[in-house]
Amino acid sequence: MEEMRKVLCEELEKLMEKDQRIIVIDADLAKPNGTLSLRSKFPERAFDVGIAEQNMAGMAAGMAAYGCVPFITSFTPFASRRICDQIAISICYAKKNVKIIGTAPGIAAQLNGGTHMSMEDIGVLRSIPDITIFEPVDIVQLKKSLPALIEYKGPVYIRLFRKVLPIVFNNDYEFDLFKGDYLKEGKDVTLFASGIMVSEALEAAKKLKEENIDAEVINIHTLKPIDSKIIIESAEKTGAVVTCENHNVIGGLKSAVSEVLIEKCPVPLKAVGVKDHFGEVGKLDYLKEKYHMTSKDIVEAAKEVLKLKHK
């Protein structure tokens, strides 16, 4: 089992060897983000600006103006809310081809605590026009996605768990940036999940099956633009929805799915995620329990939404 940050660095190295346009810029966190070794291998295309994230974003926008494909990396709160104006004006408004990597999203910041724990990054960035927001679910999807992200011309925010995640996909998985993934077919309730909550949703589906509840599980890896087609198709089939996200339930996956359903297919919906709280110091398992983000919580939400469906 490999860490996501290790795979990120290895794949970027391969891509940088082939494509001279790719630049990597860190803001004092290259070591925890796994990109440190790129600096010695590509001294003219891998930089550290220090604790100056706004400068990192501005530099990237400038380099993109000259045809480069810059990847900028920092912990999630510093790669989103701290540089929100630079993302909005220098990158998105100016239509610059910058890839923004925010690592350790939501409760994945763990022992770094509340100041480093972004519960709001998707909500902040989703309201900016023209940005694509992507959250890979395992190393297979991360490997498949990077060439596609470089091929795609436009700003992308990549929400990246740094360490080891359960493997969801086989190596023959075909990645499409703009299509969600059916992980399990079902007929009673749909579990839409993203990031670290996908494995919890799959585990919840197993538990629901023991109670004769057939849950469909769909991975929403791209939060914006969201795959409306897969959301409507599944909601029309099951008639009940639970969203599962490592983010504030305000502004993230629940909001994005709700916006689709309220217009096209209104059905009962329950949300599993952070209920409008700041974070705190703790290990991931503790924080999942603390914020009610376990498979058990998804099971309970599914049962509640089924009651609403049958009213």
Side-chain angles (χ1 to χ4, degrees):
M1 298 283 277
E2 292 179 286
E3 291 187 339
M4 297 284 274
R5 59 184 170 184
K6 180 173 181 290
V7 171
L8 172 71
C9 185
E10 290 173 348
E11 296 303 308
L12 281 177
E13 182 180 336
K14 292 176 192 172
L15 293 164
M16 291 175 80
E17 286 172 352
K18 297 176 188 172
D19 191 339
Q20 298 294 311
R21 299 174 305 155
I22 302 172
I23 307 285
V24 174
I25 310 174
D26 290 291
D28 201 46
L29 292 169
K31 187 174 181 180
N33 284 336
T35 52
L36 184 61
S37 64
L38 295 174
R39 222 175 294 164
S40 58
K41 291 170 182 166
F42 306 97
E44 296 180 348
R45 288 192 287 139
F47 309 103
D48 189 344
V49 300
I51 306 173
E53 292 85 0
Q54 292 94 341
N55 289 345
M56 173 177 70
M59 283 174 59
M63 290 178 177
Y66 284 89
C68 296
V69 183
F71 282 74
I72 61 176
T73 70
S74 189
F75 287 166
T76 301
F78 313 136
S80 57
R81 66 171 188 250
R82 181 161 293 180
I83 60 172
C84 186
D85 188 62
Q86 283 73 24
I87 293 174
I89 302 303
S90 302
I91 296 175
C92 293
Y93 182 74
K95 302 189 184 304
K96 295 296 175 260
N97 189 21
V98 177
K99 316 306 176 189
I100 306 153
I101 301 177
T103 64
I107 62 171
Q110 300 189 74
L111 300 180
N112 284 330
T115 57
H116 290 48
M117 202 165 279
S118 60
M119 309 301 196
E120 72 297 301
D121 53 308
I122 297 172
V124 167
L125 298 184
R126 206 164 64 85
S127 60
I128 298 175
D130 295 335
I131 194 167
T132 294
I133 301 175
F134 167 63
E135 184 165 12
V137 72
D138 68 5
I139 58 171
V140 177
Q141 191 173 58
L142 177 60
K143 287 179 183 178
K144 300 271 186 179
S145 68
L146 286 171
L149 294 175
I150 291 168
E151 186 72 20
Y152 173 73
K153 191 172 181 180
V156 181
Y157 176 66
I158 304 155
R159 200 171 192 254
L160 188 75
F161 187 81
R162 287 187 297 148
K163 300 184 179 177
V164 174
L165 280 176
I167 299 295
V168 173
F169 294 108
N170 298 320
N171 286 330
D172 59 357
Y173 164 66
E174 293 185 8
F175 176 72
D176 187 323
L177 179 59
F178 300 111
K179 289 185 179 177
D181 305 301
Y182 279 104
L183 301 180
K184 179 190 171 300
E185 301 281 345
K187 60 181 175 55
D188 295 327
V189 58
T190 305
L191 311 180
F192 291 113
S194 59
I196 64 171
M197 295 303 288
V198 171
S199 58
E200 295 290 339
L202 288 168
E203 182 62 26
K206 290 180 186 173
K207 292 177 179 174
L208 288 164
K209 191 71 177 175
E210 293 170 1
E211 300 186 46
N212 294 318
I213 298 171
D214 189 10
E216 184 151 285
V217 182
I218 294 176
N219 171 40
I220 301 292
H221 55 72
T222 296
L223 283 297
K224 184 187 177 185
I226 200 161
D227 183 354
S228 300
K229 184 171 180 287
I230 201 170
I231 292 169
I232 295 165
E233 280 179 356
S234 185
E236 285 179 341
K237 179 169 65 169
T238 66
V241 164
V242 176
T243 56
C244 316
E245 62 188 309
N246 172 27
H247 185 274
N248 193 342
V249 295
I250 300 171
L253 179 65
K254 178 222 173 181
S255 297
V257 170
S258 298
E259 288 163 14
V260 173
L261 294 178
I262 200 67
E263 286 192 5
K264 303 290 185 182
C265 180
V267 297
L269 182 150
K270 289 285 181 181
V272 174
V274 180
K275 303 294 195 302
D276 208 20
H277 287 283
F278 286 110
E280 66 176 51
V281 172
K283 290 281 195 178
L284 192 58
D285 287 344
Y286 163 79
L287 293 168
K288 282 183 178 177
E289 294 278 349
K290 163 84 179 180
Y291 293 107
H292 304 289
M293 294 165 59
T294 66
S295 60
K296 179 183 171 186
D297 297 302
I298 298 171
V299 167
E300 292 304 312
K303 290 179 180 176
E304 288 176 22
V305 83
L306 282 171
K307 290 177 188 171
L308 296 173
K309 171 183 170 181
H310 296 305
K311 264 189 177 179

PDB file of all heavy atoms in Angstrom, residues 6-22:
ATOM      1  N   LYS A   6       3.302   9.884  -2.072  1.00  0.00           N
ATOM      2  CA  LYS A   6       4.403   9.199  -2.744  1.00  0.00           C
ATOM      3  C   LYS A   6       4.053   8.988  -4.217  1.00  0.00           C
ATOM      4  O   LYS A   6       4.879   9.230  -5.112  1.00  0.00           O
ATOM      5  CB  LYS A   6       4.683   7.856  -2.059  1.00  0.00           C
ATOM      6  CG  LYS A   6       5.821   7.060  -2.672  1.00  0.00           C
ATOM      7  CD  LYS A   6       6.111   5.834  -1.809  1.00  0.00           C
ATOM      8  CE  LYS A   6       7.267   5.011  -2.360  1.00  0.00           C
ATOM      9  NZ  LYS A   6       6.952   4.331  -3.599  1.00  0.00           N
ATOM     10  N   VAL A   7       2.831   8.545  -4.442  1.00  0.00           N
ATOM     11  CA  VAL A   7       2.371   8.340  -5.821  1.00  0.00           C
ATOM     12  C   VAL A   7       2.333   9.669  -6.570  1.00  0.00           C
ATOM     13  O   VAL A   7       2.728   9.752  -7.739  1.00  0.00           O
ATOM     14  CB  VAL A   7       0.987   7.667  -5.819  1.00  0.00           C
ATOM     15  CG1 VAL A   7       0.380   7.644  -7.217  1.00  0.00           C
ATOM     16  CG2 VAL A   7       1.101   6.255  -5.254  1.00  0.00           C
ATOM     17  N   LEU A   8       1.871  10.719  -5.890  1.00  0.00           N
ATOM     18  CA  LEU A   8       1.835  12.042  -6.523  1.00  0.00           C
ATOM     19  C   LEU A   8       3.220  12.433  -7.030  1.00  0.00           C
ATOM     20  O   LEU A   8       3.386  12.846  -8.184  1.00  0.00           O
ATOM     21  CB  LEU A   8       1.336  13.091  -5.515  1.00  0.00           C
ATOM     22  CG  LEU A   8       1.441  14.543  -5.982  1.00  0.00           C
ATOM     23  CD1 LEU A   8       0.429  14.832  -7.084  1.00  0.00           C
ATOM     24  CD2 LEU A   8       1.251  15.506  -4.809  1.00  0.00           C
ATOM     25  N   CYS A   9       4.231  12.290  -6.171  1.00  0.00           N
ATOM     26  CA  CYS A   9       5.594  12.684  -6.537  1.00  0.00           C
ATOM     27  C   CYS A   9       6.127  11.811  -7.674  1.00  0.00           C
ATOM     28  O   CYS A   9       6.720  12.326  -8.641  1.00  0.00           O
ATOM     29  CB  CYS A   9       6.496  12.589  -5.319  1.00  0.00           C
ATOM     30  SG  CYS A   9       8.163  13.179  -5.634  1.00  0.00           S
ATOM     31  N   GLU A  10       5.921  10.508  -7.575  1.00  0.00           N
ATOM     32  CA  GLU A  10       6.427   9.593  -8.613  1.00  0.00           C
ATOM     33  C   GLU A  10       5.792   9.891  -9.971  1.00  0.00           C
ATOM     34  O   GLU A  10       6.476   9.903 -10.997  1.00  0.00           O
ATOM     35  CB  GLU A  10       6.141   8.142  -8.206  1.00  0.00           C
ATOM     36  CG  GLU A  10       6.967   7.656  -7.038  1.00  0.00           C
ATOM     37  CD  GLU A  10       6.537   6.286  -6.548  1.00  0.00           C
ATOM     38  OE1 GLU A  10       5.464   5.798  -6.956  1.00  0.00           O
ATOM     39  OE2 GLU A  10       7.277   5.710  -5.731  1.00  0.00           O
ATOM     40  N   GLU A  11       4.494  10.118  -9.964  1.00  0.00           N
ATOM     41  CA  GLU A  11       3.804  10.373 -11.235  1.00  0.00           C
ATOM     42  C   GLU A  11       4.169  11.737 -11.800  1.00  0.00           C
ATOM     43  O   GLU A  11       4.344  11.897 -13.011  1.00  0.00           O
ATOM     44  CB  GLU A  11       2.287  10.261 -11.036  1.00  0.00           C
ATOM     45  CG  GLU A  11       1.823   8.873 -10.637  1.00  0.00           C
ATOM     46  CD  GLU A  11       2.228   7.790 -11.631  1.00  0.00           C
ATOM     47  OE1 GLU A  11       1.941   7.962 -12.826  1.00  0.00           O
ATOM     48  OE2 GLU A  11       2.851   6.795 -11.210  1.00  0.00           O
ATOM     49  N   LEU A  12       4.311  12.743 -10.920  1.00  0.00           N
ATOM     50  CA  LEU A  12       4.742  14.054 -11.403  1.00  0.00           C
ATOM     51  C   LEU A  12       6.140  13.979 -12.005  1.00  0.00           C
ATOM     52  O   LEU A  12       6.427  14.600 -13.036  1.00  0.00           O
ATOM     53  CB  LEU A  12       4.704  15.077 -10.263  1.00  0.00           C
ATOM     54  CG  LEU A  12       3.339  15.659  -9.911  1.00  0.00           C
ATOM     55  CD1 LEU A  12       3.455  16.597  -8.711  1.00  0.00           C
ATOM     56  CD2 LEU A  12       2.733  16.420 -11.094  1.00  0.00           C
ATOM     57  N   GLU A  13       7.012  13.199 -11.354  1.00  0.00           N
ATOM     58  CA  GLU A  13       8.379  13.044 -11.883  1.00  0.00           C
ATOM     59  C   GLU A  13       8.344  12.460 -13.299  1.00  0.00           C
ATOM     60  O   GLU A  13       9.031  12.950 -14.204  1.00  0.00           O
ATOM     61  CB  GLU A  13       9.195  12.144 -10.956  1.00  0.00           C
ATOM     62  CG  GLU A  13      10.636  11.975 -11.419  1.00  0.00           C
ATOM     63  CD  GLU A  13      11.444  11.080 -10.495  1.00  0.00           C
ATOM     64  OE1 GLU A  13      11.072  10.959  -9.302  1.00  0.00           O
ATOM     65  OE2 GLU A  13      12.434  10.500 -10.962  1.00  0.00           O
ATOM     66  N   LYS A  14       7.544  11.399 -13.503  1.00  0.00           N
ATOM     67  CA  LYS A  14       7.434  10.789 -14.836  1.00  0.00           C
ATOM     68  C   LYS A  14       6.906  11.804 -15.852  1.00  0.00           C
ATOM     69  O   LYS A  14       7.407  11.908 -16.971  1.00  0.00           O
ATOM     70  CB  LYS A  14       6.478   9.582 -14.781  1.00  0.00           C
ATOM     71  CG  LYS A  14       6.992   8.402 -13.988  1.00  0.00           C
ATOM     72  CD  LYS A  14       5.900   7.327 -13.939  1.00  0.00           C
ATOM     73  CE  LYS A  14       6.244   6.262 -12.910  1.00  0.00           C
ATOM     74  NZ  LYS A  14       5.109   5.327 -12.709  1.00  0.00           N
ATOM     75  N   LEU A  15       5.910  12.543 -15.441  1.00  0.00           N
ATOM     76  CA  LEU A  15       5.301  13.503 -16.363  1.00  0.00           C
ATOM     77  C   LEU A  15       6.234  14.675 -16.652  1.00  0.00           C
ATOM     78  O   LEU A  15       6.299  15.167 -17.786  1.00  0.00           O
ATOM     79  CB  LEU A  15       3.971  14.007 -15.776  1.00  0.00           C
ATOM     80  CG  LEU A  15       2.868  12.934 -15.693  1.00  0.00           C
ATOM     81  CD1 LEU A  15       1.751  13.379 -14.767  1.00  0.00           C
ATOM     82  CD2 LEU A  15       2.309  12.640 -17.084  1.00  0.00           C
ATOM     83  N   MET A  16       7.007  15.107 -15.638  1.00  0.00           N
ATOM     84  CA  MET A  16       7.939  16.215 -15.836  1.00  0.00           C
ATOM     85  C   MET A  16       9.085  15.828 -16.767  1.00  0.00           C
ATOM     86  O   MET A  16       9.627  16.672 -17.482  1.00  0.00           O
ATOM     87  CB  MET A  16       8.473  16.696 -14.478  1.00  0.00           C
ATOM     88  CG  MET A  16       7.428  17.392 -13.622  1.00  0.00           C
ATOM     89  SD  MET A  16       8.014  17.825 -11.965  1.00  0.00           S
ATOM     90  CE  MET A  16       8.926  19.329 -12.305  1.00  0.00           C
ATOM     91  N   GLU A  17       9.454  14.540 -16.754  1.00  0.00           N
ATOM     92  CA  GLU A  17      10.510  14.077 -17.665  1.00  0.00           C
ATOM     93  C   GLU A  17      10.061  14.160 -19.123  1.00  0.00           C
ATOM     94  O   GLU A  17      10.867  14.386 -20.018  1.00  0.00           O
ATOM     95  CB  GLU A  17      10.899  12.629 -17.308  1.00  0.00           C
ATOM     96  CG  GLU A  17      11.723  12.540 -16.032  1.00  0.00           C
ATOM     97  CD  GLU A  17      11.929  11.107 -15.578  1.00  0.00           C
ATOM     98  OE1 GLU A  17      11.295  10.197 -16.168  1.00  0.00           O
ATOM     99  OE2 GLU A  17      12.712  10.901 -14.632  1.00  0.00           O
ATOM    100  N   LYS A  18       8.753  13.978 -19.332  1.00  0.00           N
ATOM    101  CA  LYS A  18       8.227  13.995 -20.704  1.00  0.00           C
ATOM    102  C   LYS A  18       7.786  15.379 -21.158  1.00  0.00           C
ATOM    103  O   LYS A  18       7.780  15.671 -22.349  1.00  0.00           O
ATOM    104  CB  LYS A  18       7.000  13.060 -20.789  1.00  0.00           C
ATOM    105  CG  LYS A  18       7.284  11.612 -20.507  1.00  0.00           C
ATOM    106  CD  LYS A  18       5.958  10.830 -20.536  1.00  0.00           C
ATOM    107  CE  LYS A  18       6.164   9.402 -20.077  1.00  0.00           C
ATOM    108  NZ  LYS A  18       4.862   8.708 -19.931  1.00  0.00           N
ATOM    109  N   ASP A  19       7.370  16.204 -20.208  1.00  0.00           N
ATOM    110  CA  ASP A  19       6.708  17.465 -20.552  1.00  0.00           C
ATOM    111  C   ASP A  19       7.417  18.633 -19.852  1.00  0.00           C
ATOM    112  O   ASP A  19       7.289  18.812 -18.632  1.00  0.00           O
ATOM    113  CB  ASP A  19       5.233  17.396 -20.132  1.00  0.00           C
ATOM    114  CG  ASP A  19       4.409  18.547 -20.674  1.00  0.00           C
ATOM    115  OD1 ASP A  19       5.001  19.577 -21.027  1.00  0.00           O
ATOM    116  OD2 ASP A  19       3.172  18.407 -20.737  1.00  0.00           O
ATOM    117  N   GLN A  20       8.152  19.415 -20.620  1.00  0.00           N
ATOM    118  CA  GLN A  20       8.942  20.523 -20.062  1.00  0.00           C
ATOM    119  C   GLN A  20       8.067  21.667 -19.536  1.00  0.00           C
ATOM    120  O   GLN A  20       8.560  22.570 -18.873  1.00  0.00           O
ATOM    121  CB  GLN A  20       9.875  21.069 -21.142  1.00  0.00           C
ATOM    122  CG  GLN A  20      10.896  20.064 -21.662  1.00  0.00           C
ATOM    123  CD  GLN A  20      11.903  19.655 -20.613  1.00  0.00           C
ATOM    124  OE1 GLN A  20      12.481  20.500 -19.941  1.00  0.00           O
ATOM    125  NE2 GLN A  20      12.097  18.354 -20.448  1.00  0.00           N
ATOM    126  N   ARG A  21       6.776  21.627 -19.851  1.00  0.00           N
ATOM    127  CA  ARG A  21       5.902  22.711 -19.416  1.00  0.00           C
ATOM    128  C   ARG A  21       5.536  22.609 -17.937  1.00  0.00           C
ATOM    129  O   ARG A  21       5.112  23.586 -17.323  1.00  0.00           O
ATOM    130  CB  ARG A  21       4.586  22.701 -20.218  1.00  0.00           C
ATOM    131  CG  ARG A  21       4.727  22.894 -21.718  1.00  0.00           C
ATOM    132  CD  ARG A  21       3.364  22.705 -22.376  1.00  0.00           C
ATOM    133  NE  ARG A  21       2.777  21.408 -22.020  1.00  0.00           N
ATOM    134  CZ  ARG A  21       1.473  21.142 -22.032  1.00  0.00           C
ATOM    135  NH1 ARG A  21       0.607  22.081 -22.361  1.00  0.00           N
ATOM    136  NH2 ARG A  21       1.028  19.931 -21.698  1.00  0.00           N
ATOM    137  N   ILE A  22       5.690  21.421 -17.355  1.00  0.00           N
ATOM    138  CA  ILE A  22       5.197  21.196 -15.986  1.00  0.00           C
ATOM    139  C   ILE A  22       6.160  21.795 -14.965  1.00  0.00           C
ATOM    140  O   ILE A  22       7.358  21.513 -14.971  1.00  0.00           O
ATOM    141  CB  ILE A  22       4.994  19.693 -15.718  1.00  0.00           C
ATOM    142  CG1 ILE A  22       4.008  19.102 -16.739  1.00  0.00           C
ATOM    143  CG2 ILE A  22       4.497  19.466 -14.297  1.00  0.00           C
ATOM    144  CD1 ILE A  22       3.883  17.586 -16.666  1.00  0.00           C
TER     145      ILE A  22
END
